[in-house]
Amino acid sequence: MTARQTAGEAQRAIEAVFRIESARLIAGLTRIVGEVGLAEELAQDAMVAALERWPKTGVPENPGAWLMATAKNRAIDLLRRQERLARKVAALGRDAQSGPSWAEADFERVVESAEIEDDLLRLVFVACHPVLSTRARVTLTLRLVGGLRTDEIARAFLVSEPTVQQRIVRAKKRLAQARVPFEVPGRGELTERLSSVLEVVYLVFNEGYAATAGDDWMRPALCEEALRLGRMVAGLLPREPEAHGLVALMEIQASRSAARTGPHGEPVLLLEQNRSRWDRLLIRRGLAALARAEELGGTVGPYALQAAIAACHARARTAAETDWPRIALLYEALARVAPSPVVELNRAVAVGMAFGAEQALAIVDELAAEGALSGYHLLPSVRGDLLDRLGRRTEAREEFLRAASLTRNARERTLLEERAARLRPPS
């Protein structure tokens, strides 16, 4: 589109284009300048230039190429000022005096090759590098790869914008200090590093699927962003079964989104959901990704196992048809691959549904005695449900109230308080 636009229309177009193109733009620039922080600054400069020009000239036919050309030219100017142009141009095989026409032509060449996808994969591994804390990895990935603004990340995780900005600045500084290379790790290191990437994506998804704090039970935008990131990673690493396993898990879980909240935003538990509201397209996509993970063979990883559990729910037309014995077995396998108290708590739920509340309560009581989940609200919530099913209403009520006091999510607290209220003895 080349027609003149209003300033508002142009700004919305620029923001939309930048959201789509920013990750590839930063990835390509990082390859040129060798530093992710500087690459982001150059990408932002290109966006500022677009904000100045596009309202007057209209959005270019190929806005991504325009942004890349502008950013590359600024990178070259910067390298020239820093007296590094000759070395960088030699590496790029370019003439020091090349101008915008070269940059646009080069962009078209790179787009037609797999190189830009390679750069994007490198950027994912840099943003998720284990040298950073988990929170820093999540924040930087959403910023650089997801293209989210600082205010969007702050709103999603209920923290202040200065906090997010500080995390981003510190993360980029840490990467520079550690001299993290802009590369895909070698085969020997790939499995460990890939687990960090997948962990970040799943943390983003989980925060959207069941928000840890705030007034909303779900934050769909985060689920959508995690799905986009997960699909991208699986596309960039098509031979990695766990990447497909994670996509399968997220697709199937996301399929329930419309049924997980009531008319006023209140939580609706899995067994009470209207399954006709589950998204069948997402379920089919999830099952296909799970099949792909299984076809690739190797040891079944934690994401593929969790996806297999989710598939059991997705295939059941009603809650009563759920294959709980198989789910319990899958949780046993998951506990061997990725042992944790949370996995054991989930296994207890499956055991309770498959073999009775009394058997499950023994598992939960053992977990409670160990103390690892002492501050985790779902432990008393599960225990309360089991006690209620065993007719121990007073104890169950106390557990639901304790769970309500531990959760930081307002919607979940209300649900737990309501469950406790239903068990109040008649006056």
Side-chain angles (χ1 to χ4, degrees), residues 84-286:
R84 289 186 288 163
L85 181 62
R87 177 165 51 87
K88 289 293 181 179
V89 166
L92 293 171
R94 300 299 178 195
D95 184 273
Q97 301 303 316
S98 294
S101 59
W102 156 73
E104 290 192 25
D106 182 66
F107 178 85
E108 296 297 338
R109 180 190 63 78
V110 171
V111 166
E112 290 172 1
S113 72
E115 193 173 56
I116 196 163
E117 296 304 313
D118 292 341
D119 285 344
L120 191 54
L121 185 58
R122 293 184 188 106
L123 182 63
V124 170
F125 277 100
V126 168
C128 298
H129 199 284
V131 74
L132 302 175
S133 70
T134 299
R135 287 192 301 182
R137 277 180 269 163
V138 168
T139 303
L140 198 62
T141 300
L142 288 175
R143 173 71 172 190
L144 298 182
V145 186
L148 271 66
R149 302 189 308 270
T150 301
D151 63 312
E152 291 175 316
I153 300 171
R155 188 164 57 249
F157 288 95
L158 302 179
V159 294
S160 68
E161 287 188 47
T163 296
V164 171
Q165 191 59 45
Q166 287 171 6
R167 285 182 192 170
I168 293 170
V169 170
R170 288 171 184 163
K172 290 189 288 191
K173 188 175 181 180
R174 181 76 181 100
L175 291 173
Q177 289 173 339
R179 300 181 182 274
V180 172
F182 187 62
E183 63 183 15
V184 176
R187 176 55 57 182
E189 192 187 354
L190 182 61
T191 300
E192 179 185 352
R193 290 281 302 280
L194 179 60
S195 68
S196 175
V197 172
L198 300 181
E199 178 191 17
V200 167
V201 174
Y202 196 40
L203 282 170
V204 174
F205 182 85
N206 274 340
E207 185 58 32
Y209 192 70
T212 55
D215 297 327
D216 297 316
W217 171 237
M218 292 185 65
R219 295 184 188 132
L222 280 181
C223 290
E224 291 168 8
E225 185 59 34
L227 267 169
R228 187 179 74 81
L229 292 172
R231 291 166 183 157
M232 181 185 74
V233 172
L236 293 170
L237 294 169
R239 302 294 303 172
E240 293 295 331
E242 272 292 82
H244 296 285
L246 177 57
V247 170
L249 173 59
M250 294 191 298
E251 299 273 17
I252 296 172
Q253 287 187 320
S255 73
R256 308 175 198 152
S257 295
R260 294 188 73 240
T261 54
H264 306 293
E266 68 276 15
V268 179
L269 300 178
L270 177 62
L271 298 183
E272 299 169 3
Q273 289 172 16
N274 179 356
R275 298 187 178 214
S276 68
R277 299 189 67 199
W278 288 3
D279 189 320
R280 307 313 299 183
L281 174 60
L282 286 177
I283 289 174
R284 287 196 297 273
R285 291 177 63 133

